Coordinates of all heavy atoms in Angstrom, one line a residue:
N40 N -14.8 -14.3 8.0 CA -13.9 -15.0 7.1 C -13.9 -16.5 7.3 O -13.3 -17.0 8.3 CB -12.5 -14.4 7.3 CG -11.4 -15.2 6.6 OD1 -11.8 -15.9 5.6 ND2 -10.2 -15.1 7.0
C43 N -10.7 -18.9 7.8 CA -9.9 -18.9 9.0 C -10.8 -18.9 10.3 O -10.4 -19.2 11.4 CB -9.0 -17.7 9.0 SG -7.8 -17.5 10.4
G44 N -12.1 -18.5 10.1 CA -13.0 -18.4 11.2 C -13.0 -17.1 11.9 O -13.5 -16.9 13.0
D45 N -12.4 -16.1 11.3 CA -12.3 -14.7 11.9 C -13.6 -14.0 11.8 O -14.3 -14.0 10.8 CB -11.3 -13.8 11.2 CG -9.9 -14.5 11.0 OD1 -9.4 -15.1 12.0 OD2 -9.4 -14.4 9.9
G67 N -10.7 -13.7 16.4 CA -10.1 -14.4 15.3 C -8.6 -14.5 15.5 O -8.0 -14.2 16.6
C68 N -7.9 -14.7 14.4 CA -6.4 -14.9 14.4 C -5.7 -13.6 14.7 O -6.3 -12.5 14.6 CB -5.9 -15.5 13.1 SG -6.1 -14.4 11.7
I70 N -3.6 -12.0 12.9 CA -3.6 -11.1 11.8 C -4.9 -10.3 11.7 O -4.9 -9.1 11.4 CB -3.3 -11.8 10.5 CG1 -1.9 -12.4 10.5 CG2 -3.5 -11.0 9.2 CD1 -1.6 -13.4 9.4
S71 N -6.0 -11.0 11.8 CA -7.3 -10.3 11.7 C -7.5 -9.2 12.8 O -8.0 -8.1 12.5 CB -8.5 -11.3 11.7 OG -8.6 -11.9 13.0
R129 N -4.0 -16.1 3.8 CA -4.2 -15.2 5.0 C -4.6 -13.8 4.6 O -4.9 -13.0 5.5 CB -2.9 -15.1 5.9 CG -2.3 -16.5 6.2 CD -3.3 -17.4 6.9 NE -3.9 -16.9 8.2 CZ -3.2 -16.9 9.4 NH1 -2.0 -17.5 9.5 NH2 -3.8 -16.4 10.5
C132 N -7.8 -12.6 6.1 CA -7.7 -12.2 7.5 C -7.3 -10.7 7.6 O -7.9 -10.1 8.5 CB -6.5 -13.0 8.2 SG -6.7 -14.8 8.0
Ligands
ZN19 ZN1 -7.4 -15.3 10.2

Side-chain angles (χ1 to χ4, degrees):
N40 171 19
C43 184
D45 309 313
C68 69
I70 294 169
S71 70
R129 308 304 298 279
C132 302

